[in-house]
Amino acid sequence: MSTKRSRLVFTFLLLLILSGGLVWFMVHSYDHVPQFRSLFTVSDSPVYGSVGPESEATLAMKADFTARVSMWIFIFITLLQMAALWVGYVVVNAIAGSPDPVKLKLRSLDNAEIFFDVPLYFGLFGTVSAFLVMTFSPQSSRLIAYSSTLIGIVFSLFLRLILQYPLRRRLVREDALSGEGEIK
């Protein structure tokens, strides 16, 4: 297996391990850490009208169900953003490792701009999803909205500053030094 291919397989396996770790951490923390669970639970609101003897258990089950749904929405959005980060990594590595001329690599990097914004779009998706959650849990809705936006910004910045910029800088330098093109 080539070094490039083994690096992609390694990053994919790392992504799977991190994703599985995230899911395990979230579910385990929800089940065993009351402070963590309180991030997703609906605050105790008063119940108006008469309440039967089994109503408290039903209300508690409903609150737990909505909290778990909120947590799974958060996990899903975070996993989407992790996948977008990995795809961006794969695209940048494919461009960097291609045997194409420098000018074509620069154009390919320009064409790949969308991959650097996908985590932001998934963050926006998380914010919109949070509005749906707001109907049954305003507290977890804010958590989902703010954190999905923040994760999207951080992942997009990582793709641009750590992966895209150094490659673009190297390619522009190679292009200028090779005499193939003019510096614009």
Side-chain angles (χ1 to χ4, degrees):
M1 191 181 316
S2 71
T3 305
K4 180 181 169 186
R5 185 164 174 84
S6 64
R7 187 181 315 142
L8 288 178
V9 169
F10 173 75
T11 58
F12 181 71
L13 291 175
L14 183 63
L15 175 73
L16 284 178
I17 290 168
L18 289 173
S19 299
L22 173 74
V23 171
W24 176 84
F25 173 77
M26 295 285 291
V27 171
H28 179 77
S29 297
Y30 182 86
D31 290 337
H32 296 95
V33 181
Q35 294 85 0
F36 187 81
R37 181 184 300 191
S38 70
L39 294 173
F40 296 98
T41 55
V42 181
S43 62
D44 294 330
S45 56
V47 177
Y48 300 104
S50 63
V51 176
E54 295 178 8
S55 296
E56 290 300 322
T58 305
L59 291 173
M61 287 179 6
K62 181 180 177 187
D64 184 59
F65 174 76
T66 57
R68 281 190 187 275
V69 167
S70 298
M71 181 190 65
W72 281 106
I73 289 171
F74 176 76
I75 290 171
F76 175 72
I77 292 165
T78 304
L79 292 177
L80 278 176
Q81 290 173 322
M82 289 173 73
L85 179 68
W86 185 77
V87 168
Y89 175 80
V90 169
V91 167
V92 168
N93 278 337
I95 293 170
S98 74
D100 297 331
V102 173
K103 284 198 176 297
L104 183 57
K105 285 183 181 182
L106 280 168
R107 291 191 68 194
S108 296
L109 198 57
D110 288 338
N111 194 39
E113 277 292 314
I114 187 69
F115 293 104
F116 307 126
D117 293 333
V118 170
L120 290 172
Y121 297 141
F122 285 150
L124 180 61
F125 172 72
T127 303
V128 171
S129 299
F131 287 120
L132 300 173
V133 173
M134 190 179 287
T135 58
F136 55 84
S137 179
Q139 178 178 340
S140 60
S141 163
R142 287 188 297 274
L143 172 76
I144 293 169
Y146 295 147
S147 59
S148 67
T149 303
L150 179 65
I151 292 169
I153 291 169
V154 169
F155 283 4
S156 182
L157 278 173
F158 175 83
L159 287 170
R160 288 185 180 280
L161 295 178
I162 306 299
L163 299 178
Q164 179 194 27
Y165 177 75
L167 177 60
R168 182 180 302 279
R169 182 175 172 214
R170 182 177 58 99
L171 292 174
V172 166
R173 182 173 168 81
E174 285 177 17
D175 187 38
L177 292 176
S178 70
E180 290 181 11
E182 301 172 7
I183 299 176
K184 295 181 181 181

